[in-house]
Amino acid sequence: MAPLLYSQSSCTFSLTILCLILLQFHLVSSVVIVGLKNQHSHPRHRRPMLQANQTSCALFMGSWVYDESYPLYQSSACPIIDPEFNCQMYGRPDSDYLKYRWKPATCELPRFNGLEFLYRMKGKNIMFVGDSLGRNQWESLICMISADVPQSPTQMTRGDPLSTFKFLDYGVAISFYRAPYLVDIDTFQGRRVLKLDDIRGNANAWRGVDVLSFNTGHWWTHKGSLQGWDYMESGGSLYQDMDRLVALERGLRTWARWIDTNIDRTRTRVFFQSISPTHYNPSEWSAGAATAAKSCYGETSPMMTGTSYPGSYSDQMKVIETVMRDMNNLPFLLDITMLSAMRKDAHPSIYSGDLTPEQRANPDHSADCSHWCLPGLPDTWNQLFYTALFY
């Protein structure tokens, strides 16, 4: 069966309607982030962003500030960090990338307090759902909290798809559920079938959770040996492939219907994290300067300020925003895309336990410019997550 085609003919009209809806929501929203300093209106932004959740501070517009009080923890003191994220353990020679703090343009973020997090979330469950970027953030949050309660007894259970870390004195469980597409993958006659219309298998694990944070994106583009499925199923038909943006939208609409139907907002807070950018193309940040580099290897400092995404704006984010616009149970969009795009310096590059010595010697082909070092950028994601939860 021929691949389906993604129609973009209504994109401009859809974004216009989106802006009108968000403007109306902004005017009537009672969700106010309080306790933030110097509250002003949102600065202008050239790309669409679902910020209806925040009415007094544009959390995701700002700059990176060098701060000697960072990082918030040391990698050597947090044994949960996977080798692929543990850049200091695997020989990264520079450390300035650990020292940057995100400062929104019109307010100050509260400093993360792990003890406060545990007290406020006492007896509750937090779950990150998605791909390895979600695992990156999950491990970061555990490290950040643990640094503030180093003597607190804990319990760790690793599994696939579910891993859980518990702070026993507080009854707080922080889990990661691996579901890179969010929707289900089943096996049929030895073949992996990505079921764009079905999420029940994965979603059974999400019921009763107090805070859910979802992410997806990167796995939808993989092909060849990295592709996670053999067939896609949609509308009762099997496809060998289809336009990946079409597939993403169908899968996300299945997820959105499940959220709208099954989540009780008086019980559960829902977050969706925007696309985490990669840095494999230096032309996106070198402003046209000639460079022989083919990855993030050797990058040691961020782009300090920005009001727009370096390079082209992600088509995947356009799909996410289109789907979220139609939801009745709107999640909080943790829009980390642009501020992360400024951090070309924060990837593991070749300083990853997943690489062999031969791979480290060839960074143009082997550098990891998708994930992030810990400590590092995901700590900022969690500071924003913390702010959105409590302030």
Side-chain angles (χ1 to χ4, degrees), residues 213-248:
S213 179
F214 295 92
N215 87 288
T216 191
H218 287 229
W219 281 79
W220 293 91
T221 64
H222 291 340
K223 297 186 177 182
S225 61
L226 293 178
Q227 183 174 297
W229 46 269
D230 300 302
Y231 294 97
M232 293 182 181
E233 181 181 316
S234 180
S237 299
L238 287 178
Y239 299 81
Q240 284 192 326
D241 206 347
M242 68 171 67
D243 186 290
R244 300 304 180 87
L245 292 176
V246 172
L248 172 63

Side-chain angles (χ1 to χ4, degrees), residues 182-184 195 197-205 207 254 258:
L182 301 183
V183 292
D184 294 346
K195 301 175 76 68
D197 303 328
D198 197 351
I199 202 169
R200 291 170 295 177
N202 285 334
N204 282 335
R207 296 182 185 276
T254 298
W258 187 90

Side-chain angles (χ1 to χ4, degrees), residues 290-354:
T291 175
K294 296 180 181 178
S295 72
C296 60
Y297 174 70
E299 295 293 338
T300 59
S301 60
M303 292 171 275
M304 301 299 291
T305 61
T307 57
S308 61
Y309 182 79
S312 60
Y313 184 57
S314 166
D315 286 336
Q316 288 185 321
M317 276 307 302
K318 295 174 186 175
V319 172
I320 289 169
E321 290 169 339
T322 297
V323 172
M324 289 182 66
R325 177 199 65 198
D326 294 336
M327 294 179 69
N328 297 321
N329 205 352
L330 186 66
F332 187 103
L333 181 67
L334 200 70
D335 192 352
I336 53 83
T337 303
M338 190 183 72
L339 64 91
S340 301
M342 297 161 69
R343 294 305 307 273
K344 56 187 172 62
D345 60 315
H347 296 285
S349 182
I350 63 170
Y351 307 107
S352 165
D354 278 3

Side-chain angles (χ1 to χ4, degrees), residues 6-163:
Y6 177 60
S7 174
Q8 295 182 336
S9 62
S10 62
C11 180
T12 302
F13 175 77
S14 298
L15 293 181
T16 302
I17 296 299
L18 172 60
C19 292
L20 293 173
I21 292 172
L22 292 184
L23 177 60
Q24 181 180 16
F25 187 89
H26 175 83
L27 293 174
V28 302
S29 174
S30 61
V31 182
V32 180
I33 298 176
V34 298
L36 302 177
K37 302 177 184 178
N38 303 322
Q39 298 172 355
H40 301 290
S41 59
H42 295 185
R44 292 176 62 87
H45 199 294
R46 76 167 173 86
R47 65 182 181 84
M49 222 165 67
L50 287 172
Q51 288 190 323
N53 311 83
Q54 50 180 103
T55 59
S56 59
C57 175
L59 292 177
F60 310 113
M61 296 289 297
S63 58
W64 288 100
V65 177
Y66 192 85
D67 189 332
E68 284 287 359
S69 71
Y70 278 61
L72 300 179
Y73 59 92
Q74 299 298 321
S75 61
S76 58
C78 189
I80 194 176
I81 301 174
D82 282 334
E84 64 187 301
F85 310 143
N86 202 332
C87 304
Q88 292 294 304
M89 176 179 286
Y90 289 95
R92 180 159 179 170
D94 60 307
S95 59
D96 278 359
Y97 73 95
L98 298 170
K99 299 290 186 180
Y100 288 98
R101 169 176 57 84
W102 177 248
K103 185 187 183 306
T106 58
C107 61
E108 293 286 347
L109 292 179
R111 191 173 179 89
F112 184 88
N113 185 313
L115 184 59
E116 180 192 25
F117 188 100
L118 292 175
Y119 273 121
R120 291 204 183 203
M121 296 304 299
K122 192 169 184 177
K124 297 186 183 298
N125 301 314
I126 303 101
M127 184 181 289
F128 295 92
V129 179
D131 57 27
S132 54
L133 279 307
R135 179 162 53 90
N136 220 170
Q137 185 178 4
W138 171 66
E139 294 181 8
S140 162
L141 181 60
I142 292 168
C143 292
M144 292 169 74
I145 296 171
S146 297
D148 286 339
V149 290
Q151 305 304 317
S152 181
T154 61
Q155 181 184 78
M156 175 68 178
T157 304
R158 280 196 184 268
D160 188 11
L162 180 64
S163 296

